[in-house]
Amino acid sequence: MDSQVEYVDIALAGRLETLRQDFSLHLKGIVPHELCRLLIESIDHRSPRCIEKGDVDKEIIKQCEKNVFTDELCTLLDAYFEQQGYQVMWPRVDVVGDDALTSYASTTWHLDHGLKGSLKLFVYLDSVADHGCNTLMFDRGRTEHLRQAGAFPLSLEERKDDLTCELEKLHLSTEHISFDLEAGDILLFSPFVLAHRCLPPQKGKKRHTVCFTVTPFF
């Protein structure tokens, strides 16, 4: 076997094992930094008119798709979903501002609801170090204990941005899981298995991401 092919196979196997065991994966340097910068400029200069804004978003998503859904990532997704197959759905451009605690529901701990087995794929166009708006998660075990304890109500008004008390009552670690995401990195995770929340950006900062939902075939 060619050494380069062997290296790719080993790397793929490692990523697949991580995704299956942890239900999350950090992929580094997928979208070039210069392209990230250009896409952020396009986002920030979008027209407020819905039609024009939608056209810009479509082009941004198209540019991301070219860099994200490479043969390597598609092979990983093929292996993860196995015979069931997968499809990429509901792409969107997302900007989170420093008013997120009052304007963005995902700043509270929650589980997504939808097609079982689906994954969320976030392309970070700017680095967490620049804005502080990271995605925090709890592992599968703690998530299940919290779910059974009723810590993830459907009502947005009842959700919490701090589950320290709930975790301590269950004698579980309060440490969250997060990654040092840089511009061009991907966060791939199961939002149905891992409880998660989005930290609000620092004052005067914004987070720019492009999000895709990867679902099994219906």
Side-chain angles (χ1 to χ4, degrees), residues 12-218:
L12 173 63
R15 289 172 175 174
L16 180 60
E17 182 179 6
T18 297
L19 185 57
R20 283 178 171 168
Q21 288 186 354
D22 299 342
F23 295 94
S24 65
L25 185 64
H26 175 198
L27 300 173
K28 299 181 180 181
I30 303 301
V31 179
H33 282 196
E34 179 62 16
L35 178 57
C36 289
R37 186 187 67 79
L38 293 173
L39 293 180
I40 289 173
E41 285 186 2
S42 296
I43 293 169
D44 288 344
H45 290 89
R46 288 178 299 184
S47 167
R49 295 175 57 184
C50 292
I51 294 177
E52 294 179 12
K53 179 181 178 182
D55 289 340
V56 172
D57 284 3
K58 287 179 182 177
E59 183 58 32
I60 291 168
I61 289 166
K62 182 179 177 181
Q63 291 295 320
C64 272
E65 285 176 334
K66 289 179 182 178
N67 286 270
V68 169
F69 293 98
T70 60
D71 289 345
E72 186 176 351
L73 180 62
C74 290
T75 299
L76 174 65
L77 293 174
D78 280 332
Y80 182 80
F81 287 98
E82 297 181 317
Q83 293 89 353
Q84 194 171 14
Y86 70 91
Q87 54 193 341
V88 180
M89 307 284 286
W90 309 301
R92 74 172 191 268
V93 175
D94 206 7
V95 180
V96 182
D98 61 3
D99 61 343
L101 286 176
T102 56
S103 66
Y104 194 67
S106 293
T107 55
T108 53
W109 286 104
H110 65 284
L111 286 167
D112 288 9
H113 298 274
L115 193 59
K116 185 178 179 181
S118 299
L119 299 172
K120 278 287 181 68
L121 189 157
F122 284 95
V123 182
Y124 272 66
L125 299 180
D126 36 20
S127 301
V128 168
D130 293 336
H131 49 67
C133 184
N134 207 346
T135 300
L136 310 184
M137 298 170 285
F138 289 133
D139 59 65
R140 184 183 189 183
R142 284 181 293 165
T143 294
E144 182 58 23
H145 283 294
L146 287 166
R147 187 190 65 78
Q148 292 179 9
F152 309 120
L154 293 177
S155 171
L156 295 178
E157 291 74 20
E158 295 178 26
R159 293 180 183 177
K160 297 181 179 180
D161 59 13
D162 187 353
L163 293 178
T164 300
C165 289
E166 286 78 359
L167 288 164
E168 289 178 344
K169 287 179 183 178
L170 294 167
H171 306 290
L172 298 172
S173 170
T174 60
E175 293 295 318
H176 61 257
I177 299 166
S178 63
F179 298 103
D180 184 17
L181 296 155
E182 298 184 356
D185 288 2
I186 284 176
L187 172 62
L188 183 64
F189 75 103
S190 173
F192 307 98
V193 175
L194 305 184
H196 55 285
R197 70 174 290 239
C198 170
L199 284 177
Q202 299 159 359
K203 187 173 179 58
K205 303 288 186 178
K206 293 185 291 186
R207 185 193 79 176
H208 303 77
T209 58
V210 179
C211 177
F212 301 89
T213 302
V214 187
T215 73
F217 274 122
F218 299 110

